[in-house]
Structures are given as structure tokens and as C-alpha cells.
Amino acid sequence: GQQLNQSPQSMFIQEGEDVSMNCTSSSIFNTWLWYKQDPGEGPVLLIALYKAGELTSNGRLTAQFGITRKDSFLNISASIPSDVGIYFCAGQLGGNNRLAFGKGNQVVVIP
Amino acid sequence: IAGITQAPTSQILAAGRRMTLRCTQDMRHNAMYWYRQDLGLGLRLIHYSNTAGTTGKGEVPDGYSVSRANTDDFPLTLASAVPSQTSVYFCASSDTNRDTEAFFGQGTRLTVV
């Protein structure tokens, strides 16, 4: 299947700091998405990106669809304790609606 | 509140037993999915259904079966559970017009002993 590589796997950050995470693939994707999973919950969609180069914001979150269509990044600005969770990237190759998911980035915010 | 409901929320199951995980959505989404989540492996697609009456195999379909008799329900069945099927199972759905934006249920934590 399609492999999505997320880095880093886990991050410990101080409250108020910005945090960035990356997702790369050897495959070209038509769509990139970022999800967040809180402990004991299902993933929740944060941002969806549909065009190469697209930069989209959702509150303190900003995500970009890489020009090569093989990568995407997510940035969280001014982190707060409720940003704790696992962040997943997901991509769709196109022609079907089955997503490939990365293995997730664990974010821990230290008050 | 509209969304996806999974049942049960957790289950301990003896190996060899049959088990059906239930999933219901009230958003009238055409597509539905079953994923399993394991530590270090992320979310892996088990089976999917693009529309009522059709199903397809995902990345890890062995040992699982699904049916899609109507739009709202997408049950996942383990015919004869094995310990390697211990996992957290998530059902998801998406709308045809935004078919990549999947909405997830709360998950079912299954332990096979």
C-alpha cells in the first residue's frame, strides 16, 4: 500500500511554543488531510487540502499541500494543553476514496 | 447529534468466538470504512463500502467480513477471533461530494484472549 512517513514520531513542547510536523510519501497524492485523535476518541478532521501549493488555516493550525504533491506539513502556533494528542496525516491517490494514513505524531504540551 | 455510533465500546472475547462490531451513521454518507489501530502501525483499512450493496477489501481484510445492506449500517464480523485481532476498531464514513473527509466513530476496543 501507499506509505506515508510522519516525522517526528513524538514531540514534547512547552506551552506557548509553535510546533511543526511533516508527512512525506514516495507517491503523488491528490488530497492531503490532517486529523487529530484525543485519548480514547476517534480521529477528527482538522484540515483538508486539495491543490498542490495550497496553504490553509484553521484557527491556530496551518497546513500546506506540497508543490511536488508528495508531502504536507502541519503547524500549530502558540500551543495550549488541549493540543495534546496524536496527529495523523492522510492522503488520497485519486480515482478512489480510500485514504492512506501515516502512523501519527504524538504531541505532548508541557504547561 | 448527528454522527457515527459504534457498539460495543469495548469487549473481551475468547479466541475462536464469533463477534460482530456494529456501526451506524445518520449523515446519509455513501461511503463507510472499518479501520484498526495498533500501536506503532497507525490506522489500517480493513474493509470499505462505496455505497449500499457494495463492499471492498482494504489493506488488512483477512479474518474479517462486512456487509452493507443499507446506507446507515456497516457491521464488521470476526468469524473466529484470534489474539492478533486485539486492537481498537474505528468505523468511519464520508460523503460522495467530499469523499476524502472521513468522519470517525469513537472506536471499539477489542481484546481477544
Side-chain angles (χ1 to χ4, degrees), chain B residues 39-112:
Chain B
L39 194 64
L41 297 176
L43 290 160
R44 294 182 293 168
L45 183 65
I46 305 170
H47 284 288
Y48 66 94
S49 169
N50 287 336
T51 189
T54 70
T55 63
K57 293 181 179 180
E59 183 183 352
V60 288
D62 295 342
Y64 306 95
S65 64
V66 291
S67 61
R68 187 86 184 278
N70 57 62
T71 297
D72 298 343
D73 301 300
F74 191 42
L76 176 74
T77 297
L78 290 69
S80 179
V82 295
S84 62
Q85 291 177 310
T86 294
S87 186
V88 181
Y89 292 85
F90 287 100
C91 180
S93 70
S94 63
D95 181 77
T96 302
N97 294 326
R98 275 288 185 256
D99 58 12
T100 57
E101 296 179 16
F103 291 80
F104 284 80
Q106 298 267 53
T108 295
R109 182 175 294 277
L110 181 67
T111 302
V112 182

Coordinates of all heavy atoms in Angstrom, one line a residue, chain B residues 39-112:
Chain B
L39 N -0.7 0.1 18.0 CA 0.5 0.9 18.4 C 1.6 0.7 17.4 O 2.0 -0.4 17.1 CB 0.9 0.5 19.8 CG 1.9 1.4 20.5 CD1 1.2 2.8 20.8 CD2 2.3 0.8 21.9
G40 N 2.1 1.8 17.0 CA 3.2 1.8 16.0 C 2.9 1.6 14.6 O 3.7 1.7 13.7
L41 N 1.6 1.2 14.3 CA 1.2 0.9 13.0 C 0.1 1.9 12.4 O -0.2 1.8 11.3 CB 0.6 -0.5 12.9 CG 1.6 -1.6 13.3 CD1 0.9 -3.0 13.3 CD2 2.8 -1.7 12.2
G42 N -0.4 2.8 13.3 CA -1.3 3.7 12.8 C -2.7 3.1 12.5 O -3.0 2.1 13.0
L43 N -3.4 3.7 11.5 CA -4.7 3.3 11.1 C -4.6 2.5 9.8 O -4.0 2.9 8.8 CB -5.6 4.4 10.9 CG -6.1 5.2 12.1 CD1 -6.5 6.6 11.7 CD2 -7.2 4.5 12.8
R44 N -5.1 1.3 9.8 CA -5.0 0.4 8.6 C -6.5 0.0 8.2 O -7.3 -0.4 9.0 CB -4.2 -0.8 8.9 CG -2.7 -0.5 9.1 CD -1.9 -1.8 9.4 NE -2.3 -2.5 10.6 CZ -1.9 -3.7 10.9 NH1 -1.2 -4.4 10.1 NH2 -2.3 -4.2 12.1
L45 N -6.7 0.2 6.9 CA -8.1 -0.1 6.4 C -8.3 -1.6 6.3 O -7.5 -2.3 5.7 CB -8.2 0.6 5.0 CG -9.6 0.5 4.4 CD1 -10.6 1.2 5.2 CD2 -9.5 1.0 2.9
I46 N -9.5 -2.0 6.9 CA -9.8 -3.4 6.8 C -10.7 -3.7 5.6 O -10.4 -4.5 4.7 CB -10.5 -3.9 8.1 CG1 -9.7 -3.5 9.3 CG2 -10.9 -5.3 8.1 CD1 -10.4 -3.7 10.7
H47 N -11.9 -3.1 5.6 CA -12.8 -3.2 4.5 C -13.5 -1.8 4.3 O -13.5 -1.0 5.2 CB -13.9 -4.2 4.8 CG -13.5 -5.6 4.7 ND1 -13.3 -6.2 3.5 CD2 -13.3 -6.6 5.6 CE1 -13.0 -7.5 3.7 NE2 -13.0 -7.7 5.0
Y48 N -14.1 -1.6 3.2 CA -14.8 -0.4 2.9 C -16.0 -0.7 2.0 O -16.2 -1.8 1.5 CB -13.9 0.6 2.2 CG -13.5 0.2 0.8 CD1 -14.2 0.6 -0.3 CD2 -12.4 -0.6 0.6 CE1 -13.8 0.2 -1.6 CE2 -12.0 -1.1 -0.7 CZ -12.7 -0.7 -1.8 OH -12.4 -1.1 -3.0
S49 N -16.9 0.3 2.0 CA -18.1 0.2 1.1 C -18.3 1.6 0.5 O -18.5 2.6 1.2 CB -19.3 -0.2 1.9 OG -20.5 0.0 1.2
N50 N -18.3 1.6 -0.8 CA -18.5 2.9 -1.5 C -20.0 3.3 -1.5 O -20.3 4.5 -1.6 CB -18.0 2.9 -2.9 CG -16.5 2.9 -3.0 OD1 -15.8 3.4 -2.1 ND2 -15.9 2.3 -4.1
T51 N -20.9 2.3 -1.5 CA -22.3 2.6 -1.5 C -23.0 1.4 -1.0 O -22.4 0.3 -1.0 CB -22.8 3.0 -2.9 OG1 -24.1 3.5 -2.8 CG2 -22.7 1.9 -3.8
A52 N -24.3 1.5 -0.6 CA -25.1 0.4 -0.1 C -25.1 -0.7 -1.1 O -25.3 -0.4 -2.3 CB -26.5 0.8 0.3
G53 N -24.8 -1.9 -0.7 CA -24.8 -3.1 -1.6 C -23.5 -3.5 -2.1 O -23.3 -4.5 -2.8
T54 N -22.5 -2.6 -1.9 CA -21.1 -2.9 -2.4 C -20.1 -2.9 -1.2 O -20.2 -2.1 -0.3 CB -20.7 -2.0 -3.5 OG1 -20.4 -0.7 -2.9 CG2 -21.7 -1.8 -4.6
T55 N -19.1 -3.8 -1.3 CA -18.0 -3.7 -0.3 C -16.7 -4.0 -1.0 O -16.7 -4.6 -2.2 CB -18.2 -4.8 0.8 OG1 -18.2 -6.1 0.2 CG2 -19.5 -4.5 1.5
G56 N -15.6 -3.7 -0.4 CA -14.3 -3.9 -0.9 C -13.3 -4.2 0.1 O -13.5 -3.9 1.3
K57 N -12.2 -4.9 -0.2 CA -11.2 -5.2 0.7 C -10.2 -4.1 0.8 O -9.8 -3.5 -0.1 CB -10.4 -6.5 0.3 CG -11.3 -7.7 0.3 CD -10.5 -8.9 -0.1 CE -11.4 -10.2 0.0 NZ -10.7 -11.4 -0.4
G58 N -9.7 -3.8 2.1 CA -8.7 -2.8 2.3 C -7.3 -3.5 2.4 O -7.0 -4.5 1.8
E59 N -6.5 -2.9 3.3 CA -5.1 -3.3 3.4 C -5.0 -4.6 4.2 O -4.1 -5.5 4.0 CB -4.4 -2.2 4.1 CG -2.9 -2.4 4.3 CD -2.2 -1.3 5.1 OE1 -2.9 -0.3 5.4 OE2 -1.0 -1.5 5.4
V60 N -5.9 -4.8 5.2 CA -5.8 -6.0 6.1 C -7.1 -6.7 6.3 O -7.7 -6.7 7.4 CB -5.2 -5.6 7.5 CG1 -3.7 -5.3 7.4 CG2 -5.9 -4.4 8.1
P61 N -7.7 -7.3 5.2 CA -9.0 -7.8 5.3 C -9.1 -9.2 5.9 O -10.3 -9.6 6.3 CB -9.4 -7.9 3.8 CG -8.1 -8.1 3.1 CD -7.1 -7.4 3.9
D62 N -8.0 -10.0 6.0 CA -8.1 -11.4 6.4 C -8.7 -11.6 7.8 O -8.2 -10.9 8.7 CB -6.7 -12.1 6.2 CG -6.3 -12.1 4.8 OD1 -7.1 -12.0 3.9 OD2 -5.0 -12.3 4.6
G63 N -9.6 -12.5 7.9 CA -10.3 -12.7 9.2 C -11.5 -11.9 9.5 O -12.1 -12.1 10.5
Y64 N -11.8 -11.0 8.6 CA -12.9 -10.1 8.8 C -13.8 -10.1 7.6 O -13.4 -10.3 6.4 CB -12.4 -8.6 8.9 CG -11.4 -8.3 9.9 CD1 -10.0 -8.3 9.6 CD2 -11.8 -8.1 11.2 CE1 -9.1 -8.1 10.6 CE2 -10.8 -7.8 12.2 CZ -9.5 -7.8 11.9 OH -8.5 -7.6 12.8
S65 N -15.1 -9.9 7.8 CA -16.1 -9.7 6.7 C -17.0 -8.6 7.1 O -17.2 -8.2 8.3 CB -16.9 -11.0 6.5 OG -17.7 -11.3 7.7
V66 N -17.6 -8.0 6.0 CA -18.5 -6.9 6.2 C -19.7 -7.1 5.3 O -19.7 -7.9 4.4 CB -17.9 -5.5 5.9 CG1 -16.8 -5.1 6.9 CG2 -17.3 -5.5 4.5
S67 N -20.8 -6.3 5.6 CA -22.0 -6.3 4.8 C -22.5 -4.8 4.8 O -22.2 -4.1 5.7 CB -23.0 -7.2 5.2 OG -23.5 -6.9 6.6
R68 N -23.2 -4.5 3.7 CA -23.8 -3.1 3.6 C -25.2 -3.2 3.0 O -25.4 -3.0 1.9 CB -22.9 -2.2 2.7 CG -23.3 -0.8 2.8 CD -22.7 0.0 3.9 NE -23.2 1.4 4.0 CZ -22.7 2.4 3.2 NH1 -21.7 2.2 2.3 NH2 -23.2 3.6 3.4
A69 N -26.1 -3.7 3.9 CA -27.4 -3.9 3.4 C -28.2 -2.6 3.2 O -29.1 -2.5 2.4 CB -28.2 -4.7 4.4
N70 N -27.8 -1.5 3.9 CA -28.4 -0.2 3.7 C -27.4 0.9 3.9 O -26.2 0.6 4.2 CB -29.6 0.0 4.7 CG -29.1 -0.2 6.1 OD1 -28.3 0.5 6.6 ND2 -29.7 -1.3 6.8
T71 N -27.8 2.1 3.7 CA -26.8 3.2 3.8 C -26.3 3.4 5.2 O -25.1 3.8 5.3 CB -27.5 4.5 3.3 OG1 -27.9 4.4 2.0 CG2 -26.6 5.7 3.4
D72 N -27.1 3.2 6.2 CA -26.7 3.6 7.6 C -25.8 2.6 8.3 O -25.1 3.0 9.2 CB -28.0 3.8 8.4 CG -28.9 4.9 7.8 OD1 -28.4 5.7 7.0 OD2 -30.0 5.0 8.2
D73 N -25.9 1.4 8.0 CA -25.2 0.3 8.8 C -24.1 -0.4 8.1 O -24.2 -0.7 6.9 CB -26.3 -0.7 9.3 CG -27.4 -0.1 10.1 OD1 -27.1 0.5 11.1 OD2 -28.6 -0.2 9.6
F74 N -23.0 -0.6 8.8 CA -21.9 -1.3 8.2 C -21.2 -2.2 9.3 O -20.2 -1.8 9.8 CB -20.9 -0.2 7.7 CG -19.8 -0.8 6.8 CD1 -20.0 -1.7 5.8 CD2 -18.5 -0.3 6.9 CE1 -19.0 -2.2 5.0 CE2 -17.5 -0.7 6.1 CZ -17.7 -1.7 5.1
P75 N -21.8 -3.3 9.6 CA -21.2 -4.2 10.6 C -20.0 -4.9 10.1 O -19.8 -5.3 9.0 CB -22.4 -5.2 10.9 CG -23.1 -5.2 9.6 CD -23.0 -3.8 9.0
L76 N -19.1 -5.1 11.1 CA -17.8 -5.8 10.8 C -17.9 -7.1 11.7 O -18.1 -7.1 12.9 CB -16.6 -5.0 11.3 CG -15.2 -5.7 11.2 CD1 -14.8 -5.8 9.7 CD2 -14.2 -4.9 12.0
T77 N -17.6 -8.3 11.0 CA -17.7 -9.6 11.7 C -16.4 -10.3 11.7 O -15.7 -10.3 10.7 CB -18.7 -10.5 11.0 OG1 -20.0 -9.9 11.1 CG2 -18.8 -11.8 11.7
L78 N -16.0 -10.8 12.9 CA -14.9 -11.6 13.0 C -15.4 -13.0 13.2 O -16.1 -13.3 14.2 CB -14.1 -11.3 14.3 CG -13.2 -10.0 14.3 CD1 -14.2 -8.7 14.3 CD2 -12.3 -9.9 15.5
A79 N -15.2 -13.9 12.2 CA -15.9 -15.2 12.2 C -15.3 -16.1 13.3 O -16.1 -16.8 14.0 CB -15.7 -15.9 10.9
S80 N -14.0 -16.0 13.5 CA -13.4 -16.9 14.6 C -12.2 -16.1 15.1 O -11.1 -16.1 14.5 CB -12.9 -18.2 14.0 OG -12.3 -19.0 15.0
A81 N -12.4 -15.3 16.2 CA -11.4 -14.4 16.6 C -10.1 -15.0 17.1 O -10.1 -16.1 17.6 CB -12.0 -13.6 17.8
V82 N -9.0 -14.3 16.8 CA -7.7 -14.7 17.2 C -7.0 -13.6 17.9 O -7.4 -12.4 17.8 CB -6.8 -15.1 16.0 CG1 -7.4 -16.4 15.3 CG2 -6.7 -14.0 15.0
P83 N -6.0 -13.9 18.8 CA -5.4 -12.8 19.6 C -4.8 -11.7 18.8 O -4.8 -10.5 19.3 CB -4.3 -13.6 20.4 CG -4.9 -15.0 20.6 CD -5.6 -15.2 19.3
S84 N -4.4 -12.0 17.6 CA -3.8 -10.9 16.8 C -4.8 -9.9 16.3 O -4.5 -8.8 15.8 CB -3.1 -11.4 15.6 OG -4.0 -12.1 14.7
Q85 N -6.1 -10.2 16.6 CA -7.2 -9.2 16.2 C -7.5 -8.3 17.4 O -8.4 -7.5 17.3 CB -8.4 -10.0 15.8 CG -8.2 -10.6 14.4 CD -9.4 -11.4 14.0 OE1 -10.0 -12.2 14.7 NE2 -9.9 -11.2 12.7
T86 N -6.7 -8.4 18.5 CA -6.8 -7.5 19.6 C -6.4 -6.1 19.0 O -5.3 -6.0 18.5 CB -5.9 -7.9 20.7 OG1 -6.4 -9.1 21.3 CG2 -5.9 -6.8 21.8
S87 N -7.3 -5.1 19.2 CA -7.0 -3.8 18.5 C -8.1 -2.9 18.9 O -9.1 -3.2 19.6 CB -6.9 -4.0 17.0 OG -6.5 -2.8 16.4
V88 N -7.9 -1.6 18.5 CA -9.0 -0.7 18.6 C -9.6 -0.5 17.2 O -8.8 -0.2 16.2 CB -8.6 0.7 19.1 CG1 -9.8 1.6 19.2 CG2 -7.9 0.5 20.5
Y89 N -10.9 -0.7 17.0 CA -11.5 -0.7 15.7 C -12.3 0.6 15.5 O -13.1 1.0 16.4 CB -12.4 -1.9 15.5 CG -11.7 -3.2 15.4 CD1 -11.3 -3.9 16.6 CD2 -11.3 -3.7 14.2 CE1 -10.5 -5.0 16.5 CE2 -10.6 -4.9 14.1 CZ -10.2 -5.5 15.3 OH -9.5 -6.7 15.2
F90 N -12.1 1.3 14.4 CA -12.8 2.5 14.1 C -13.6 2.4 12.8 O -13.1 1.9 11.8 CB -11.8 3.7 14.0 CG -11.2 4.2 15.2 CD1 -9.9 3.8 15.6 CD2 -11.9 5.0 16.1 CE1 -9.4 4.2 16.8 CE2 -11.4 5.4 17.3 CZ -10.1 5.0 17.6
C91 N -14.9 2.8 12.9 CA -15.7 2.9 11.8 C -15.7 4.4 11.3 O -15.6 5.3 12.2 CB -17.1 2.5 12.1 SG -18.3 2.5 10.8
A92 N -15.8 4.6 10.0 CA -15.8 5.9 9.5 C -16.7 6.0 8.3 O -17.1 5.0 7.7 CB -14.4 6.4 9.1
S93 N -17.2 7.2 8.0 CA -18.0 7.4 6.8 C -17.6 8.7 6.1 O -17.0 9.6 6.7 CB -19.5 7.5 7.2 OG -19.8 8.6 7.9
S94 N -17.9 8.8 4.8 CA -17.7 10.0 4.1 C -18.7 10.3 3.0 O -19.4 9.3 2.5 CB -16.3 10.0 3.4 OG -16.2 9.0 2.5
D95 N -18.9 11.5 2.7 CA -19.9 11.9 1.7 C -19.3 11.8 0.3 O -18.2 12.1 0.1 CB -20.4 13.3 2.0 CG -21.5 13.8 1.1 OD1 -22.6 13.4 1.2 OD2 -21.1 14.6 0.1
T96 N -20.2 11.6 -0.6 CA -19.7 11.4 -2.0 C -19.0 12.7 -2.5 O -18.0 12.7 -3.2 CB -20.9 11.1 -3.0 OG1 -21.5 9.9 -2.5 CG2 -20.4 10.9 -4.4
N97 N -19.6 13.8 -2.1 CA -19.0 15.1 -2.6 C -17.7 15.5 -2.0 O -17.0 16.3 -2.5 CB -20.0 16.2 -2.4 CG -21.3 16.0 -3.3 OD1 -21.2 15.5 -4.4 ND2 -22.4 16.4 -2.8
R98 N -17.4 14.9 -0.8 CA -16.2 15.2 -0.1 C -15.7 13.9 0.4 O -15.6 13.6 1.6 CB -16.4 16.2 1.1 CG -16.4 17.6 0.7 CD -15.0 18.1 0.4 NE -14.9 19.5 0.1 CZ -14.8 20.0 -1.1 NH1 -14.8 19.2 -2.2 NH2 -14.7 21.3 -1.3
D99 N -15.4 13.0 -0.6 CA -15.2 11.6 -0.2 C -14.0 11.3 0.6 O -13.8 10.2 1.1 CB -15.3 10.7 -1.4 CG -14.3 11.1 -2.5 OD1 -13.4 11.9 -2.2 OD2 -14.4 10.6 -3.6
T100 N -13.0 12.3 0.7 CA -11.9 12.0 1.4 C -12.0 12.5 2.9 O -11.2 12.2 3.7 CB -10.7 12.7 0.8 OG1 -10.9 14.1 0.7 CG2 -10.3 12.2 -0.5
E101 N -13.0 13.3 3.2 CA -13.2 13.8 4.5 C -14.0 12.8 5.4 O -15.2 12.9 5.5 CB -13.8 15.2 4.4 CG -13.0 16.2 3.7 CD -13.6 17.6 3.6 OE1 -14.6 17.8 4.4 OE2 -13.2 18.4 2.8
A102 N -13.3 11.9 5.9 CA -13.9 10.8 6.7 C -14.2 11.3 8.1 O -13.4 12.0 8.8 CB -13.1 9.6 6.7
F103 N -15.4 10.9 8.6 CA -15.8 11.1 10.0 C -15.7 9.8 10.7 O -16.3 8.8 10.2 CB -17.3 11.7 10.0 CG -17.4 13.1 9.5 CD1 -17.5 13.3 8.1 CD2 -17.5 14.2 10.3 CE1 -17.6 14.6 7.6 CE2 -17.6 15.4 9.8 CZ -17.7 15.6 8.4
F104 N -15.1 9.8 11.9 CA -14.9 8.6 12.6 C -15.8 8.4 13.8 O -16.2 9.4 14.4 CB -13.4 8.6 13.1 CG -12.4 8.3 12.1 CD1 -12.0 9.3 11.2 CD2 -11.9 7.0 11.9 CE1 -11.1 9.0 10.2 CE2 -11.0 6.7 10.9 CZ -10.6 7.7 10.1
G105 N -16.1 7.2 14.2 CA -16.7 6.9 15.4 C -15.8 6.9 16.6 O -14.6 7.2 16.4
Q106 N -16.3 6.6 17.8 CA -15.5 6.6 19.0 C -14.6 5.4 19.1 O -13.7 5.4 20.0 CB -16.4 6.7 20.2 CG -17.3 7.9 20.2 CD -16.7 9.0 21.0 OE1 -15.6 9.4 20.7 NE2 -17.4 9.6 21.9
G107 N -14.8 4.4 18.4 CA -13.9 3.2 18.5 C -14.5 2.1 19.3 O -15.3 2.4 20.3
T108 N -14.1 0.9 19.0 CA -14.4 -0.3 19.8 C -13.0 -0.9 20.2 O -12.3 -1.3 19.3 CB -15.2 -1.3 19.1 OG1 -16.5 -0.8 18.8 CG2 -15.4 -2.6 19.9
R109 N -12.8 -1.0 21.5 CA -11.6 -1.7 22.0 C -11.9 -3.2 22.2 O -12.7 -3.5 23.0 CB -11.1 -1.1 23.3 CG -9.8 -1.6 23.8 CD -9.3 -0.9 25.0 NE -9.0 0.5 24.7 CZ -7.8 0.9 24.2 NH1 -6.8 0.0 24.0 NH2 -7.5 2.1 23.9
L110 N -11.2 -4.0 21.3 CA -11.5 -5.4 21.4 C -10.2 -6.2 21.9 O -9.1 -5.9 21.3 CB -11.8 -6.0 20.0 CG -12.1 -7.5 19.9 CD1 -13.4 -7.8 20.6 CD2 -12.3 -7.9 18.4
T111 N -10.4 -7.0 22.9 CA -9.3 -7.8 23.4 C -9.7 -9.3 23.2 O -10.7 -9.7 23.7 CB -9.1 -7.6 24.8 OG1 -8.8 -6.2 25.0 CG2 -7.9 -8.4 25.4
V112 N -8.9 -10.0 22.4 CA -9.1 -11.4 22.2 C -8.1 -12.2 23.1 O -6.9 -12.1 22.9 CB -8.9 -11.8 20.7 CG1 -9.3 -13.3 20.5 CG2 -9.8 -10.9 19.8

